[in-house]
Amino acid sequence: METGLFTAPVSGTYFFSFRGQKRSAQYLMYLGLWKNGEEMAGVYEDNLDPLNPNPSPGNASNNLILHLFERDQVYLMISDNAIAYSTVFGKYVGFSGFLLFPDNPYA
């Protein structure tokens, strides 16, 4: 998948995992996993500690199980004013998923 948009090929129950790394300690990061325009779950990482001005970039991840109908769409969105990290050498934001079981195993 190259688009960042997952479209369910069949109705069924799916497992999804998603993760992100914020750009640096001076920023926050909020990622949401969305299904058909509705947020299903999110992760937040701020690590804005005034006593430690140079902490390492923070990571956050989440997993969930969703029921999808055929042609439902799942994708990640980053919130306004949040910054996540990605370079030509590595993609530090992403999601993956797989079908646990179809609604109709005989279809």
Side-chain angles (χ1 to χ4, degrees):
M1 177 174 73
E2 296 291 326
T3 65
L5 180 70
F6 172 77
T7 302
V10 298
S11 296
T13 302
Y14 290 79
F15 173 86
F16 289 96
S17 178
F18 63 105
R19 69 225 166 260
Q21 181 181 70
K22 69 180 186 157
R23 177 68 176 109
S24 72
Q26 63 203 43
Y27 301 106
L28 62 83
M29 178 193 67
Y30 182 85
L31 291 173
L33 186 125
W34 292 66
K35 177 182 102 172
N36 298 332
E38 181 181 357
E39 187 174 11
M40 300 285 103
V43 294
Y44 178 77
E45 166 44 60
D46 68 6
N47 196 22
L48 302 174
D49 183 355
L51 299 176
N52 185 6
N54 297 310
S56 299
N59 297 290
S61 63
N62 205 347
N63 302 303
L64 68 156
I65 294 173
L66 292 175
H67 181 270
L68 301 179
F69 292 105
E70 185 177 352
R71 294 188 293 278
D72 277 351
Q73 296 186 322
V74 176
Y75 50 93
L76 287 182
M77 287 184 61
I78 188 167
S79 68
D80 293 339
N81 302 318
I83 298 177
Y85 189 58
S86 187
T87 70
V88 295
F89 302 109
K91 308 301 183 223
Y92 300 101
V93 175
F95 75 104
S96 61
F98 55 87
L99 178 66
L100 291 172
F101 52 89
D103 284 351
N104 182 358
Y106 305 106

